[in-house]
Amino acid sequence: MTIKVKDLQFEPFISHHSIEARVIELANRLTVDFHGKNPLFLSVLNGSFMFTSDLMKAFLSPCEISFIKLASYQGTESTGQVQTLIGLNNSIENRDVIIIEDIVDTGNTVKKILELVKDHKPASIQILTLLFKPEAFKEDFEIDYVGFEIENKFVVGYGLDYDGYGRNLDQIYVVV
Ligand code: IMP
């Protein structure tokens, strides 16, 4: 059944059941890979909140969480400073950090986050994303964990939005 979010029509794409199953698989892999490491989940707001919550509940070893958000362009700075980081309160020095994204599209956002995180001298950084659009990806860094590779189409639901709406949908929809 198609749904409408603002002015666009979307159709079901990845069911809640498939998401749930994949999240468990990812969490199980993390539980093995980060055994005894007390990782710090670094969840990228806003889109990753639902995914991070489910992933963390299925991760079966000690861990901590922190949130980051890249603010909108400031625009008035003559220095060309365009983005601001909100969060990153926990000390991440010497921590094993797992960046949690909802979707990696061009890779631009994760690239900026990587630069910021590296400045804080973590022990290691891994990137985990629920969705990945390989056709749109323009960067050269590795993505360590991918939930689903998808084609280059706009999706909403399970935390992802279209102009602020659609985040509450419990499955992922694709634009028609
Ligand atoms: P990137 O910097 O191009 O990788 O884009 C990443 C950000 O763009 C994500 O964190 C989302 O906020 C947004 N985005 C990219 N593709 C989609 C989509 O299909 N649906 C919703 N948001 C998207």
Side-chain angles (χ1 to χ4, degrees):
M1 195 180 64
T2 64
I3 57 158
K4 196 170 182 197
V5 180
K6 296 198 78 181
D7 58 323
L8 292 180
Q9 288 289 133
F10 292 85
E11 63 184 15
F13 184 48
I14 306 175
S15 70
H16 181 65
H17 178 75
S18 301
I19 297 169
E20 214 169 40
R22 190 70 182 125
V23 169
I24 299 287
E25 281 177 9
L26 289 169
N28 286 345
R29 277 183 59 199
L30 293 180
T31 302
V32 172
D33 293 355
F34 288 84
H35 179 73
K37 287 193 165 173
N38 184 25
L40 178 67
F41 286 79
L42 195 57
S43 177
V44 184
L45 293 174
N46 292 328
S48 304
F49 76 99
M50 204 177 279
F51 173 46
T52 305
S53 164
D54 289 343
L55 188 74
M56 205 179 173
K57 279 183 281 184
F59 181 80
L60 303 175
S61 297
C63 60
E64 289 178 90
I65 189 165
S66 190
F67 297 92
I68 55 171
K69 182 170 179 172
L70 293 182
S72 307
Y73 283 16
Q74 301 292 301
T76 54
E77 291 281 333
S78 58
T79 57
Q81 180 68 42
V82 289
Q83 296 209 293
T84 312
L85 192 70
I86 299 172
L88 221 57
N89 301 323
N90 285 26
S91 170
I92 59 176
E93 196 174 327
N94 291 324
R95 298 295 303 270
D96 291 300
V97 175
I98 310 171
I99 296 170
I100 313 287
E101 262 287 19
D102 51 351
I103 188 162
V104 176
D105 188 5
T106 63
N108 195 34
T109 306
V110 173
K111 188 181 177 196
K112 288 205 167 65
I113 292 168
L114 270 175
E115 285 165 8
L116 292 158
V117 171
K118 275 180 187 161
D119 283 349
H120 289 75
K121 302 191 174 22
S124 69
I125 310 174
Q126 305 275 294
I127 302 164
L128 184 154
T129 184
L130 177 64
L131 304 175
F132 177 47
K133 293 180 179 173
E135 291 162 37
F137 191 61
K138 293 193 173 68
E139 303 297 336
D140 54 5
F141 55 81
E142 293 281 312
I143 302 178
D144 304 282
Y145 303 89
V146 174
F148 301 93
E149 283 194 2
I150 62 169
E151 53 188 311
N152 195 7
K153 287 188 176 171
F154 195 78
V155 293
V156 288
Y158 194 65
L160 289 130
D161 75 305
Y162 167 47
D163 208 9
Y165 290 89
R167 294 195 198 277
N168 54 321
L169 298 164
D170 76 344
Q171 59 178 326
I172 295 171
Y173 290 80
V174 64
V175 72
V176 287

